[in-house]
Amino acid sequence: MPKRTQEQAESKVRDDGSVQIVTPSGEILIKDKKQITKDKIRKFLLGTKEQEGFLKVFIIYALLICIGFIYIYPILHMVSTSFMTLDDLLDQSINWIPSSFNLDNYKQAATSMDFWGSFGKSIILAGVPTICNLISCSVIGYGLARFEFPGKKVVLGIIIFTFILPSQITMIPTYVLYSNMGILGTIWAFILPSLLGQGINAPIFILIFWQFFRQVPKVLIEAAQIDGAGFWKSFYRISIPSAAPAIITVSLFSFVWYWNESYLTQMYVAGVTVKSGWTSLIIQLDQFATNYSKYATTATNAVTNINESINMSGTMLSILPLLIMYFVLQRYFVESIDRSGITGE
Amino acid sequence: MSEKMSKEEKKQARKNRKKMKAGRLAKREAITGLLFITPWIIGALMFLAYPLITSFRYALNNIRITPLGMNFEYVGYENFTQVLLSDAEFPMQLADYVVSTIISVPIIVVFALIIAIMLNQNIKGKGFFRLIFFLPVIIVSGPILGMLNEEGAGSITAIDTQAITTSIQGVLPSSLADPISSIFENMVTILWYSGVQILIFLSSLQKMDRSMFEAAKIDGGSGWECFWKITLPNIKPMILLNIVYTIVFISNNEQNTIIELIKTSMFAGTQEKGYGYASAMAWMYSLIVVVIVILFAVLFMAKKDVYEKQVKKAKKAHKKELRQLKKIERRSARNAKKNARAGRV
């Protein structure tokens, strides 16, 4: 540090406002006011080695804000449209802010979707497989991380391969299998594969747990074993508590992915040709138009025809639970990937 | 007698070997490890191996569903040829899928990288921006994207997409122009696929060693050079990971019309369509997806690092030199021998 100060240029303000600078090499530079302000502006805009220039920071902020706006534009559009009445929709002068705070669209969309019923079923359909996923993937991940056995690399290879392979290829025989087992159209069609480590995106979860358990110091587990803990006990008493971030990540993502899944849900649980009692908000949204027209014809009071606002309120309703969850648990969501250890340490 | 002895000896030796074997603990560990992953093994047999084989068998048969069960009729490759030659939609949609995937994957990954780099700068409100850019992850699901695209919320209003699409359609043949213009029309929702990727990039950028950049800056490297020579090689594995993730995500998303097509033809119930026909479709589709993943992986891995190349070159040159040295040695030895012999004669 002291060396640095020695080398720094000495400057002295002269009477007429210009500055005399003595550079380390002994040269004497005289700069007048104009030059100094120019220098200052340049420094301010382009920055020095130590500090970022204003211009760069400004461009980054501007870009981020612009892209961010474009990014959430569909959501803003959806929110604003969902409150509009039919008159507002047709009125050219109204772009963003509806003339009145109108909740009718939501009411009608909610009744046609059977909001509360579908909501409860959605939670069960996403929650129960998530718990099964947690149990199976943590056990499998631990087995892969902690023990050495022949064929381990093959197992890891197959796990990665199953992630790449589209589910459509195994879908038809699985459908037949479920129907032979008599679990088609029940929630067991989701529980069974997730208990066996074959749920939706289960390879990712297994790899997350695998990555995580590898970081648990082996000494800790060996110490526990010397103290008399078996393999199983050292798993759930030592490894599981230290894997809390992985558990949070896996449960959040598993819940969100099961919630958003409509293709397989329709296929296995809700039924394609024969409808079972199961449904979810996302499936209701998929069939929104037909459901709504059915509702509109059977409703006793006057119902407006389906329009953009009602569509958007339906969409809003089906993502609202997840949105609330996201904003409440935002920290865990955003930090999840940091903590999951996918990116290495 | 002696034979018996030797037998007994052998037995003894075997016993001794058993006792001497060092890996008893290792063996026990291996068995426990296998026990831990038994759920996965059962799952893989039940939901991966069995369906894969069965769906291939289905694809070679014409299947009719009768009250007594499924009626198989072996047709060989007919299902495949029929899908490719006489299906009205499948070949075209497959081509569309391939083109749009190959175009949108680089767009998504590069976009994610740019955003991650901007967020990695020293800016305020990083958490807020991360929140925005991660938001779509919880919303992207087929029905919701379908609804938003239908209502025109998926395009960037500031850019006149109409002009772009018409100009594209003027230049390119329609088989290429259609998927490209559909990408431009739904630009925002395509960028929405990049939420997870942004966070993966961001967290790997944050884990990079700062001292490398400082060293490069002292050596006079500009930010631009630092990016190409330090950042990019360092996050290369993450880029590959993101590419694979993006492809898998696009392929399994319900916005993808092919998987809907497979489902509808599975339940078509007509004479020629059915389980067998749909299985043939699923096989071809899966093969294409795997091929695209491999293609990207190979393309990406083929481009080796400059330094790696130089090291390889140096090694090669070194080997060549050694060989030449040996050659010279051998030759001189031979010559010496010759000379000696000549001298003796």
Side-chain angles (χ1 to χ4, degrees):
Chain A
M1 244 4 236
K3 201 178 170 196
R4 177 101 192 249
T5 46
Q6 242 177 29
E7 276 179 0
Q8 232 160 30
E10 286 171 32
S11 56
K12 200 162 61 184
V13 183
R14 295 201 319 190
D15 298 340
D16 58 339
S18 60
V19 177
Q20 185 180 349
I21 300 171
V22 184
T23 57
S25 51
E27 272 177 283
I28 298 172
L29 295 171
I30 298 174
K31 288 185 176 176
D32 59 12
K33 253 186 180 170
K34 240 183 182 175
Q35 244 174 331
I36 290 168
T37 45
K38 234 185 198 172
D39 271 7
K40 267 189 184 165
I41 288 171
R42 222 173 116 191
K43 230 181 221 174
F44 178 65
L45 286 182
L46 298 176
T48 55
K49 292 249 164 177
E50 287 84 33
Q51 213 190 338
E52 307 262 25
F54 173 77
L55 208 62
K56 194 183 160 195
V57 174
F58 177 76
I59 288 173
I60 285 176
Y61 274 114
L63 270 177
L64 275 178
I65 289 169
C66 283
I67 296 173
F69 176 72
I70 290 172
Y71 219 64
I72 56 168
Y73 167 77
I75 300 172
L76 296 178
H77 178 92
M78 179 172 71
V79 173
S80 104
T81 313
S82 68
F83 286 115
M84 286 181 187
T85 58
L86 196 62
D87 297 334
D88 288 354
L89 277 179
L90 298 173
D91 193 344
Q92 287 290 326
S93 64
I94 292 175
N95 255 338
W96 281 102
I97 301 162
S99 60
S100 62
F101 191 71
N102 174 21
L103 278 173
D104 271 359
N105 300 322
Y106 278 97
K107 275 179 200 153
Q108 287 174 359
T111 26
S112 84
M113 285 169 97
D114 180 23
F115 180 76
W116 288 109
S118 315
F119 175 67
K121 282 171 186 163
S122 290
I123 285 189
I124 295 170
L125 270 185
V128 177
T130 298
I131 294 167
C132 299
N133 250 344
L134 262 184
I135 296 168
S136 67
C137 293
S138 62
V139 168
I140 295 163
Y142 185 75
L144 287 170
R146 170 74 182 76
F147 303 104
E148 288 299 326
F149 50 86
K152 195 166 124 177
K153 281 197 176 143
V154 179
V155 171
L156 278 172
I158 294 175
I159 288 176
I160 292 170
F161 180 69
T162 46
F163 173 60
I164 295 170
L165 202 69
S167 60
Q168 279 70 39
I169 196 166
T170 56
M171 177 180 81
I172 297 164
T174 313
Y175 183 82
V176 176
L177 184 72
Y178 287 156
S179 102
N180 287 343
M181 287 165 82
I183 57 172
L184 201 67
T186 65
I187 195 174
W188 284 100
F190 265 5
I191 293 178
L192 191 66
S194 58
L195 265 183
L196 295 174
Q198 301 288 330
I200 295 166
N201 284 333
I204 299 180
F205 303 139
I206 293 176
L207 290 179
I208 287 175
F209 273 117
W210 174 65
Q211 180 74 23
F212 217 88
F213 286 135
R214 280 201 312 178
Q215 292 163 8
V216 176
K218 211 171 175 182
V219 189
L220 211 64
I221 289 163
E222 275 167 4
Q225 274 172 1
I226 287 167
D227 285 351
F231 288 118
W232 183 248
K233 203 167 186 181
S234 61
F235 165 63
Y236 77 79
R237 290 297 289 273
I238 292 171
S239 299
I240 286 285
S242 62
I247 291 174
I248 291 171
T249 306
V250 168
S251 42
L252 287 181
F253 274 90
S254 177
F255 190 83
V256 167
W257 278 332
Y258 266 103
W259 182 286
N260 280 336
E261 179 63 55
S262 68
Y263 187 79
L264 293 177
T265 316
Q266 236 163 9
M267 189 99 189
Y268 296 149
V269 183
V272 181
T273 45
V274 186
K275 296 272 178 280
S276 74
W278 288 99
T279 182
S280 73
L281 282 176
I282 298 289
I283 289 178
Q284 289 291 326
L285 182 68
D286 206 22
Q287 303 155 347
F288 192 68
T290 50
N291 277 354
Y292 191 83
S293 62
K294 211 185 281 170
Y295 158 73
T297 49
T298 54
T300 47
N301 51 342
V303 179
T304 47
N305 277 330
I306 193 160
N307 58 31
E308 207 175 312
S309 303
I310 291 170
N311 269 341
M312 287 294 115
S313 343
T315 316
M316 193 66 204
L317 277 177
S318 63
I319 59 169
L320 199 63
L322 279 188
L323 272 183
I324 292 169
M325 184 175 125
Y326 180 63
F327 284 113
V328 172
L329 301 172
Q330 42 160 308
R331 196 164 64 88
Y332 297 106
F333 268 106
V334 173
E335 287 171 8
S336 58
I337 287 171
D338 265 345
R339 290 161 166 222
S340 65
I342 309 171
T343 50
E345 283 311 311
Chain B
M1 188 69 186
S2 65
E3 220 183 331
K4 212 178 175 185
M5 271 295 283
S6 72
K7 248 187 195 170
E8 252 166 37
E9 262 172 26
K10 261 185 200 167
K11 229 182 218 168
Q12 194 65 35
R14 213 177 292 152
K15 230 182 207 172
N16 279 348
R17 216 182 301 144
K18 221 176 213 169
K19 246 185 212 166
M20 295 286 282
K21 228 177 198 171
R24 269 185 69 184
L25 191 68
K27 207 175 174 186
R28 216 180 110 209
E29 274 210 352
I31 290 171
T32 332
L34 283 174
L35 269 180
F36 265 92
I37 65 158
T38 350
W40 182 83
I41 295 173
I42 298 171
L45 289 175
M46 202 165 147
F47 295 109
L48 183 71
Y50 165 74
L52 267 183
I53 296 164
T54 319
S55 91
F56 194 66
R57 198 176 61 123
Y58 283 2
L60 298 178
N61 283 285
N62 203 350
I63 297 166
R64 245 173 302 150
I65 297 168
T66 58
L68 294 171
M70 290 198 293
N71 197 358
F72 288 86
E73 183 196 332
Y74 184 77
V75 290
Y77 296 114
E78 209 170 277
N79 277 329
F80 289 93
T81 49
Q82 210 171 12
V83 168
L84 283 181
L85 297 177
S86 54
D87 195 285
E89 289 171 272
F90 188 76
M92 266 167 61
Q93 290 199 350
L94 198 63
D96 271 12
Y97 163 78
V98 171
V99 172
S100 67
T101 306
I102 286 178
I103 293 167
S104 53
V105 166
I107 291 177
I108 291 168
V109 174
V110 170
F111 175 78
L113 186 57
I114 291 171
I115 296 288
I117 287 172
M118 284 204 279
L119 287 180
N120 195 35
Q121 306 293 329
N122 195 12
I123 55 165
K124 284 193 182 98
K126 202 184 272 184
F128 173 71
F129 284 119
R130 274 205 303 191
L131 199 66
I132 284 180
F133 286 114
F134 197 63
L135 181 61
V137 172
I138 62 157
I139 310 177
V140 276
S141 67
I144 286 166
L145 285 184
M147 210 57 139
L148 287 175
N149 287 341
E150 198 180 298
E151 302 294 352
S155 59
I156 306 170
T157 39
I159 303 171
D160 190 5
T161 47
Q162 203 71 37
I164 297 174
T165 51
T166 46
S167 65
I168 285 171
Q169 259 148 1
V171 177
L172 292 169
S174 69
S175 58
L176 272 176
D178 287 346
I180 294 175
S181 49
S182 80
I183 285 175
F184 273 102
E185 272 161 21
N186 302 324
M187 199 63 188
V188 176
T189 40
I190 282 171
L191 293 185
W192 267 16
Y193 293 145
S194 59
V196 171
Q197 288 89 320
I198 289 174
L199 282 201
I200 289 179
F201 276 139
L202 188 60
S203 100
S204 65
L205 283 176
Q206 278 168 347
K207 277 169 189 159
M208 270 170 66
D209 200 355
R210 288 229 83 77
S211 58
M212 265 193 293
F213 289 101
E214 278 158 21
K217 263 192 189 150
I218 287 168
D219 284 350
S222 64
W224 185 248
E225 276 175 318
C226 282
F227 171 73
W228 287 102
K229 300 209 164 146
I230 300 174
T231 314
L232 218 52
N234 258 299
I235 57 167
K236 211 174 160 189
M238 292 303 127
I239 299 177
L240 184 63
L241 178 78
N242 278 340
I243 288 174
V244 173
Y245 180 84
T246 313
I247 297 171
V248 170
F249 195 86
I250 291 177
S251 317
N252 281 333
N253 198 286
E254 288 100 289
Q255 273 300 92
N256 187 350
T257 43
I258 297 179
I259 63 175
E260 284 300 325
L261 194 64
I262 293 174
K263 197 201 250 173
T264 47
S265 50
M266 179 177 164
F267 295 105
T270 52
Q271 187 59 245
E272 63 270 19
K273 285 184 181 179
Y275 286 8
Y277 191 79
S279 295
M281 276 182 177
W283 264 89
M284 282 193 273
Y285 172 61
S286 306
L287 276 182
I288 292 280
V289 171
V290 173
V291 163
I292 290 177
V293 170
I294 291 173
L295 191 84
F296 268 103
V298 166
L299 266 182
F300 197 72
M301 300 298 267
K303 216 179 167 194
K304 271 205 179 123
D305 201 17
V306 188
Y307 301 104
E308 252 172 70
K309 253 185 201 164
Q310 278 178 351
V311 167
K312 232 180 181 179
K313 227 180 189 174
K315 267 187 185 165
K316 238 182 189 170
H318 185 67
K319 260 187 188 167
K320 211 175 174 183
E321 245 170 50
L322 277 182
R323 230 181 297 144
Q324 247 154 8
L325 267 178
K326 258 187 191 166
K327 224 180 193 174
I328 291 166
E329 250 173 47
R330 246 182 288 150
R331 201 174 291 160
S332 62
R334 218 185 305 146
N335 283 348
K337 250 185 204 168
K338 240 184 215 168
N339 286 345
R341 218 179 295 153
R344 221 187 294 152
V345 169

